[in-house]
Amino acid sequence: MKKDIVIAKATVIAMIAMAVTMLLFVLMMPPVISVSGIGNEDATAPNEQVCGYPSMVDWIISGAIANETSMLKQELPINIAATGDFAGRIAFTSNMEGNNEIYVMNETNVTQLTFNASSDINPEWHPDGSKIAFSSNRDGDFEIYVMDADGTNITQLTNNTDGVEDGSQCWSPDGSKIAFSSDRDGNYEIYVMDADGTNVTRLTYNDTTQERTPHWSPDGSKIAFSSNRDIFWNIYVMNADGTNQEQLTSNNMNNIPGEWSPDGSKLLFFSDRDGDLDIYVMDADGTNVTQLTSTSDTVYHDFSPAWALGGEKIVFVSGRFVGDFEIYMMDADGTNLTRLTTNFADEYDPVWAPQECELPEICRQYDDNHNCIIERHEVINAVNDYFDGVITREQLLTVINATSR
């Protein structure tokens, strides 16, 4: 018996030692980085300088995809670190399987939507939450695809050859069009096409610079995008037809747009203006810039912000824990930071499902247009009370159930 106990203890100690060794190995590995953008396997790695701009920003804006695999990461599941701290759906990208795939999580579950050996990145919800557009290099170069919200019925929208790459796509507010970035004419420019991939129209013409990361305004009248036409990446806005282009940021630093606020009055963005990447918000005309995150170390980058809960919250990516990038959520003013994912893989490109009450298990009544009939202000108030610690999760569900009958 004593001998068995000694052997068991030795086995446990050996397993712990092996786990620690694996953990240290993973933590020392350089993170695999990607955000909303276009894949580019030849892009310069983060530890190199690119054309004079800070290397991390150029790496992110290029949407560079490292197609390396890791047997260690393949065995590590995505865990929701703050179970119950949000009620909604978030689509995102993760390399937990060794390559980039699209996932969706709610407050209790994580579901993998794409399954292949290529890189699937940059999910974008259709305005009604029924579909997701994404970029993939499954045909050899990056193209734009669309699938149902459950991962079925995948349709390829663009089809190029000779290394041409399309990506960084976003839906128009009515879901009829998709804006995207492409290098089909030699350098990256902004284009728009019908939601079925037809009627492609070029919106920007700057043959010596790059235009990327388009974001459509909620009223459909404008598109914000990033351009390095003045060496640094800065935020511009134009009419939806490409006219009246205006520069919103100009500070000899890099500024990359995120989403417009639901009411169109503000624009999220991330910038390295304070030395590392942090999340900011500004008025739609570029004024009243407010810094929302601040990290003391230049390797703890915060980027890829998106609005959540109808503008009450913001989800974003951060490298606050050295070794990988995770998804976080905070209040719209930058307070109440919550970590949503936890593992040794990288999660990025988080986007919140358009409607606060889309979850089938929460919203039980819909109108003919699949809009939730719940009294939205009652639910939103209850959600806010839950986040503020005023009510419990059970009380929140009671409100939701009562207003959905």
Side-chain angles (χ1 to χ4, degrees):
M1 177 67 70
K2 290 183 178 181
K3 183 178 180 181
D4 292 339
I5 293 175
V6 171
I7 292 175
K9 287 183 176 179
T11 302
V12 171
I13 292 172
M15 291 176 65
I16 292 174
M18 181 178 297
V20 171
T21 301
M22 293 174 66
L23 175 60
L24 291 174
F25 179 76
V26 172
L27 291 177
M28 290 186 294
M29 293 176 63
V32 181
I33 302 168
S34 170
V35 295
S36 303
I38 300 173
N40 180 2
E41 297 177 8
D42 298 323
T44 307
N47 61 349
E48 299 177 8
Q49 293 295 317
V50 184
C51 299
Y53 4 104
S55 55
M56 180 66 180
V57 173
D58 192 81
W59 180 260
I60 289 176
I61 199 68
S62 71
I65 303 301
N67 290 316
E68 304 172 15
T69 60
S70 167
M71 294 304 295
L72 294 177
K73 289 183 177 180
Q74 289 177 8
E75 299 173 0
L76 296 171
I78 296 174
N79 296 314
I80 301 175
T83 301
D85 278 357
F86 70 98
R89 288 185 296 174
I90 299 174
F92 64 99
T93 306
S94 177
N95 61 9
M96 65 164 289
E97 295 294 339
N99 60 298
N100 296 305
E101 302 284 2
I102 307 297
Y103 297 77
V104 168
M105 65 178 174
N106 59 25
E107 61 177 312
T108 57
N109 297 307
V110 176
T111 303
Q112 184 173 347
L113 299 186
T114 61
F115 299 84
N116 57 72
S118 61
S119 287
D120 298 332
I121 61 172
N122 188 208
E124 290 291 335
W125 291 97
H126 186 279
D128 68 6
S130 64
K131 297 179 181 296
I132 296 175
F134 65 100
S135 305
S136 177
N137 64 352
R138 58 184 63 193
D139 77 341
D141 46 43
F142 277 88
E143 307 286 357
I144 298 172
Y145 296 76
V146 66
M147 61 183 170
D148 289 349
D150 61 0
T152 60
N153 298 323
I154 295 177
T155 302
Q156 185 172 349
L157 299 184
T158 64
N159 189 6
N160 299 292
T161 57
D162 299 326
V164 170
E165 296 179 344
D166 299 332
S168 191
Q169 67 287 334
C170 68
W171 298 89
S172 62
D174 63 1
S176 67
K177 296 183 180 297
I178 295 175
F180 64 101
S181 181
S182 176
D183 65 347
R184 59 183 61 195
D185 292 321
N187 62 304
Y188 288 101
E189 301 285 354
I190 306 299
Y191 297 77
V192 67
M193 63 183 173
D194 289 348
D196 62 0
T198 61
N199 297 323
V200 176
T201 302
R202 181 174 172 178
L203 299 184
T204 61
Y205 293 84
N206 294 283
D207 293 337
T208 60
T209 61
Q210 300 184 56
E211 329 292 335
R212 302 201 186 199
T213 60
H215 290 274
W216 225 303
S217 66
D219 65 2
S221 65
K222 296 182 181 298
I223 296 174
F225 63 99
S226 58
S227 175
N228 65 352
R229 58 184 69 176
D230 64 349
I231 303 301
F232 291 92
W233 289 99
N234 272 296
I235 300 170
Y236 294 75
V237 67
M238 61 183 171
N239 292 339
D241 62 1
T243 60
N244 296 327
Q245 296 183 19
E246 299 178 15
Q247 185 172 349
L248 299 186
T249 62
S250 180
N251 55 7
N252 291 328
M253 291 295 176
N254 297 279
N255 306 276
I256 312 301
E259 293 181 345
W260 299 72
S261 61
D263 64 2
S265 66
K266 297 182 181 297
L267 190 64
L268 283 173
F269 68 101
F270 63 93
S271 174
D272 62 354
R273 60 182 62 194
D274 72 343
D276 64 324
L277 294 178
D278 281 305
I279 308 299
Y280 296 78
V281 65
M282 63 182 173
D283 289 349
D285 61 1
T287 61
N288 297 323
V289 174
T290 301
Q291 184 172 353
L292 299 181
T293 66
S294 179
T295 54
S296 58
D297 195 310
T298 56
V299 301
Y300 295 164
H301 298 292
D302 298 334
F303 57 94
S304 195
W307 296 98
L309 281 171
E312 296 290 330
K313 301 280 183 178
I314 295 169
V315 291
F316 65 99
V317 177
S318 179
R320 292 163 185 266
F321 290 86
V322 177
D324 67 322
F325 288 91
E326 302 288 353
I327 297 172
Y328 292 76
M329 184 167 64
M330 62 183 173
D331 289 351
D333 62 0
T335 61
N336 295 325
L337 185 69
T338 302
R339 185 178 179 182
L340 297 184
T341 62
T342 174
N343 54 58
F344 296 116
D346 295 309
E347 277 75 59
Y348 33 86
D349 302 334
V351 282
W352 187 268
Q355 297 177 345
E356 295 90 349
C357 55
E358 282 186 314
L359 284 176
E361 63 268 30
I362 292 179
C363 185
R364 296 179 175 85
Q365 287 184 301
Y366 298 88
D367 62 20
D368 293 338
N369 296 319
H370 198 68
N371 294 315
C372 190
I373 302 176
I374 287 177
E375 291 293 331
R376 301 172 75 85
H377 67 280
E378 293 182 21
V379 174
I380 291 175
N381 288 340
V383 169
N384 289 336
D385 287 342
Y386 171 66
F387 282 120
D388 292 338
V390 176
I391 63 174
T392 65
R393 182 174 183 274
E394 289 71 25
Q395 291 172 316
L396 170 62
L397 293 177
T398 298
V399 173
I400 292 173
N401 291 333
T403 54
S404 63
R405 294 192 181 99

